[in-house]
Each structure stands twice: as structure tokens, then as C-alpha cells.
Amino acid sequence: MSILLLEDLMIVPLLAIVAFLGALSAGGEANGIDAVSILVAVGALALVIAAGHWLLDPFFALLARARTTEVLTAGALLVVLGAALLMEVSGLSMAMGAFLAGVMLSGSSYRHQIQADIEPFKGLLMGLFFLAVGMSLDLGLVVSEWRMILALLVLFVVVKAVGIYGVARVFGATNRQGLRRVALFAQGGEFAFVLYSAAASEGVIGASENAVFSSVIILSMAFTPLVLLAADRWLKGDAVSTDGVEAPEGLKGRILMIGFGRFGQIASQLLLAQSVNVSLIDNDPDRIREARKFGFTVYYGDGSRLDILRQSGADTADIVMVCVDDRRAADRIVELVRQEFPACRLLVRSYDRGHAITLRKAGVDFEMRETFESALAFGGAGLRALSMTALDVGEVTADIRQRDAERLEAQVQGGMQAGGDKLHVAPVPNR
């Protein structure tokens, strides 16, 4: 994120440099760079930044009184166009003004509403932008100047890769991490097209150079998926440090609990309060080391592996409680336990309603959606806040719990759309 933000923010000084180079290339004292043009440009930048800091929130507060989303959208458009026009008049580029306006809007108190309003336009305009980028690739030029373009592509990627790798190592990254960052970021960015277009319009580079440079950036982007595939194959993640953690070996608890995250930690308290012999395993060494600080003995192991299940005592346990937050891992554990340890009862934490249906079809003895009971308690708190008695809240909660169980059973038999009559649907609000 830091690298991407730096690349985006650097467009501002780069566009300013392009504007000054354009003025310098114009030649002559009248058209060239002088103290007045510099002061005008700097003053315009300061004016835009000051307006964004002190005037933007009051401006949108005034527009918000209309209580119409179109007014806020028009206001955001006015800010962008106004900043772009001011930058162009001051001798800088409209792209810089639009970018500064976007930065200012992102810091506004109304940014979330503005973002929601312009979201439909964002996807459309981004699609048009990249469509224009693809159309700007001159295949004839690539064929005729392939040697130059290939050389520039290699030079560009190598120089950027060396810079990224060097910065990564300076700030403490390992060799593998540095190489992975190179694979992710060595390609060109979309702001290069904005920069080259501004340079061409200012006369800093010619149309042919613009086409060559743009082709280099486009090709670097096109090759990035292939580079990432190669990186995923050759740059495997560093081995997980298991210092200070123990692997399970010959555990004999009545209950085997797989996963000791926030769900498993709370669930284990009821069992431990009754002195039930519980074997705990988890595949996160950091979590295991943290749990040890509080007196828990948690073993390191992946519950989706049969050998780990055997070493953890699944063959002798009465119950296996699956508390992992990965639905695929949970499904794999359920499959293994059902096949290899059929006498063992399975209690599973489900991810959502669809996962709950899958688990019931798999024949688990009990499943619980991770947010179901907490959501019931939360809704009950809302009723109590409306002065409803605890007895009445309990009756409503029991009814909703029963309705949900019946709906879930119907969905197991008839699909996700079954049991809709058990839902309380919100009526259309009065207008």
C-alpha cells in the first residue's frame, strides 16, 4: 500500500516538472520559465490545498442541506473541474488539478457519501480509461520498433526492480520478500499515461516518443500476470517459525478442539470450567505462543491432515469440535473425521448459512453459525432498550431461534429459497 500510494502521489511533482520543462522548451524570455510563472503555479497549488483544508467541509455541509445525492455529486464534480481548470490557467496540467481534488475529497468529512455517489461513474470511467490505454497500443509501431521497445522494456523493469529490491532490503525485508515485491511492482503504473500525455501536449516529448514509452508501459503491465505466476511457483512463502511450540503426540483428551481463535477460546471455557479433558490444536504458532502466556497448552498442528488428527487423539476422543475460521478447512476436517473416525461426534463452527446447510448434509452432529447467537443477543439488547421486559425478550428470542432452525431444516431439504415463510420481512417504510 505504501509503494502504491507513493507512486500515485509522485504524479504531482512529476506533472509540475513537466509543466516547467514545457515552458522551458518554448524558449524565449516571454514564454520561458520566470519567477512570475513559478510564483503563480506555487500560489495556485497553495490555493487549492488551502481551499481543500478550510472550505471543502463547509461547502459540502451547505450542499448536504438539500438532502439530495445529485447535489453532492454535482458538488464533487464542480470541485474536480474547478481544481483542474485552476491548474491549467496557472500553467500546470489539468490532470494535476483533478488528482489534487481527489486527494482533498478523500480527506473530507463527506468522503463516504461522495464515494457512494460516484461509485457507478468510477467503474465506467476506469473501464473507459483502460479501454483507451489498450487502444493506444500501436501494434505497427511495436513491430517496426521492436528492438527499441524491448530494450526500453528490459531497462525500465530492471531499473525499477533494482530500486524496489534495494529499498526492501534497506528496510529489513528478507531476500524472498524483496523478490516478491519486485514481482508485484516492477511494472509501470497507469499514471505513466497521464504523465506522457501531459509531456506530449507541453512539447517535452514528441508523438513518436509518447507512443514508444506508452507501449513499454502497456507491455510491462501485460507481462505482470505471467511474472506473478512464476513468482508464486518459485518464491514459496518462508517456512513458519515453530520455535517454542509443540506438535501433538499421543494426546488422549475426551474432546479434541481444532482451532483456538476467538471462537474456540470462548467455547473452551465452558468445558474447562467442568474440568473436561480437552486437547487443543491450532495451526498459528503466534496464536499458540500468545495462548501460552495465559496458561493454555495448545499444540501446533493442521487439523485437515489425517496424521495430525491421529496424533491429536481423534481416534479415541468422544467429540471433535471444529472451531476454525476457514470453511474449506472445516469441510476437509469433517470429511476426514466422518471417514476415519465415524464413532466420533462432530461439532462444527459454520461460516454462514450456506456453510451450515453443507455441514448438515455432511452429517455433523451439531453446527453453529459463528455470529448467530451474538446477533440474537444484540437484537435482544435493542428490544430491552425499547423498554421491553427481559421475559418478553426471551420469548421473542426463543421464537426466532425456533423459526431459524425450522427454516434451516427446510433449506437442507429444498434449497436456499425454502422456508421463506419463517422470516419476518420488513414492511415498506412510510414516506
Side-chain angles (χ1 to χ4, degrees):
M1 183 60 69
S2 301
I3 293 173
L4 294 175
L5 283 176
L6 176 62
E7 288 186 346
D8 291 347
L9 293 174
M10 280 301 295
I11 192 63
V12 176
L14 289 175
L15 287 173
I17 292 172
V18 165
F20 291 141
L21 289 176
L24 186 63
S25 66
E29 191 64 26
N31 296 325
I33 296 179
D34 54 24
V36 175
S37 63
I38 294 176
L39 288 176
V40 169
V42 173
L45 283 171
L47 179 61
V48 170
I49 294 173
H53 186 72
W54 284 294
L55 301 179
L56 206 58
D57 276 352
F59 173 66
F60 279 105
L62 179 64
L63 297 181
R65 295 177 185 175
R67 299 185 181 278
T68 305
T69 58
E70 290 82 357
V71 174
L72 284 178
T73 304
L77 182 61
L78 177 63
V79 170
V80 173
L81 293 178
L85 182 60
L86 179 60
M87 289 295 101
E88 185 182 36
V89 171
S90 64
L92 300 175
S93 69
M94 295 186 71
M96 179 187 294
F99 183 81
L100 286 175
V103 173
M104 292 188 304
L105 290 172
S106 70
S108 167
S109 301
Y110 295 85
R111 60 186 179 275
H112 299 298
Q113 182 61 46
I114 295 171
Q115 182 179 4
D117 293 341
I118 68 173
E119 192 67 31
F121 304 100
K122 175 184 173 183
L124 176 62
L125 294 176
M126 285 187 65
L128 289 174
F129 174 78
F130 285 106
L131 179 63
V133 168
M135 294 175 64
S136 66
L137 179 61
D138 188 343
L139 295 178
L141 177 68
V142 173
V143 172
S144 61
E145 301 289 345
W146 69 270
R147 292 182 179 85
M148 178 186 296
I149 292 176
L150 182 59
L152 289 175
L153 176 62
V154 173
L155 179 63
F156 172 79
V157 172
V158 168
V159 170
K160 191 173 182 183
V162 170
I164 293 171
Y165 182 80
V167 172
R169 294 307 300 270
V170 167
F171 282 89
T174 64
N175 177 63
R176 193 182 302 274
Q177 290 171 337
L179 292 175
R180 177 162 288 279
R181 291 180 191 177
V182 167
L184 287 170
F185 301 115
Q187 77 278 8
E190 63 275 8
F191 276 113
F193 306 113
V194 178
L195 184 65
Y196 296 155
S197 297
S201 64
E202 294 287 343
V204 178
I205 60 176
S208 60
E209 288 85 359
N210 182 21
V212 170
F213 295 161
S214 298
S215 299
V216 170
I217 299 300
I218 293 172
L219 291 176
S220 72
M221 290 179 168
F223 286 130
T224 297
L226 301 178
V227 174
L228 292 178
L229 288 174
D232 289 338
R233 179 174 181 179
W234 299 108
L235 299 177
K236 300 295 185 181
D238 294 332
V240 178
S241 173
T242 57
D243 294 338
V245 300
E246 300 179 42
E249 186 65 44
L251 303 184
K252 298 295 183 182
R254 288 192 63 192
I255 294 180
L256 170 60
M257 180 174 287
I258 305 172
F260 199 64
R262 61 184 187 276
F263 189 93
Q265 291 167 16
I266 297 173
S268 69
Q269 291 299 291
L270 283 77
L271 305 171
L272 297 174
Q274 297 300 311
S275 301
V276 177
N277 188 4
V278 182
S279 300
L280 303 171
I281 66 171
D282 197 281
N283 62 355
D284 187 340
D286 292 333
R287 184 181 298 156
I288 294 173
R289 284 187 282 264
E290 189 68 22
R292 179 170 296 178
K293 296 178 183 179
F294 295 90
F296 291 97
T297 300
V298 184
Y299 296 91
Y300 175 72
D302 182 359
S304 62
R305 289 174 47 184
L306 180 59
D307 58 330
I308 296 297
L309 289 176
R310 293 188 186 280
Q311 294 169 10
S312 302
D315 52 347
T316 59
D318 296 329
I319 300 172
V320 172
M321 300 180 69
V322 183
C323 303
V324 298
D325 58 1
D326 183 341
R327 62 180 299 169
R328 291 185 179 180
D331 291 342
R332 174 61 177 163
I333 295 169
V334 168
E335 180 183 2
L336 285 175
V337 173
R338 274 285 163 258
Q339 290 179 354
E340 304 295 333
F341 317 108
C344 189
R345 300 185 67 190
L346 261 173
L347 282 62
V348 188
R349 165 195 184 180
S350 57
Y351 178 76
D352 55 18
R353 196 171 198 88
H355 191 210
I357 295 172
T358 301
L359 291 173
R360 291 199 175 198
K361 289 181 178 180
V364 301
D365 297 280
F366 179 82
E367 59 78 25
M368 172 60 67
R369 301 197 300 282
E370 56 188 23
T371 58
F372 180 66
E373 288 295 332
S374 58
L376 288 179
F378 195 77
L383 293 178
R384 286 193 296 273
L386 295 176
S387 302
M388 184 175 285
T389 65
L391 181 61
D392 291 337
V393 171
E395 291 178 355
V396 173
T397 302
D399 176 65
I400 297 301
R401 187 181 286 108
Q402 179 64 29
R403 283 171 170 269
D404 184 84
E406 293 173 357
R407 178 175 172 234
L408 194 58
E409 188 61 35
Q411 287 175 319
V412 172
Q413 304 297 327
M416 285 295 292
Q417 300 302 318
D421 59 316
K422 301 298 181 181
L423 281 174
H424 292 289
V425 181
V428 177
N430 296 326
R431 297 185 181 274

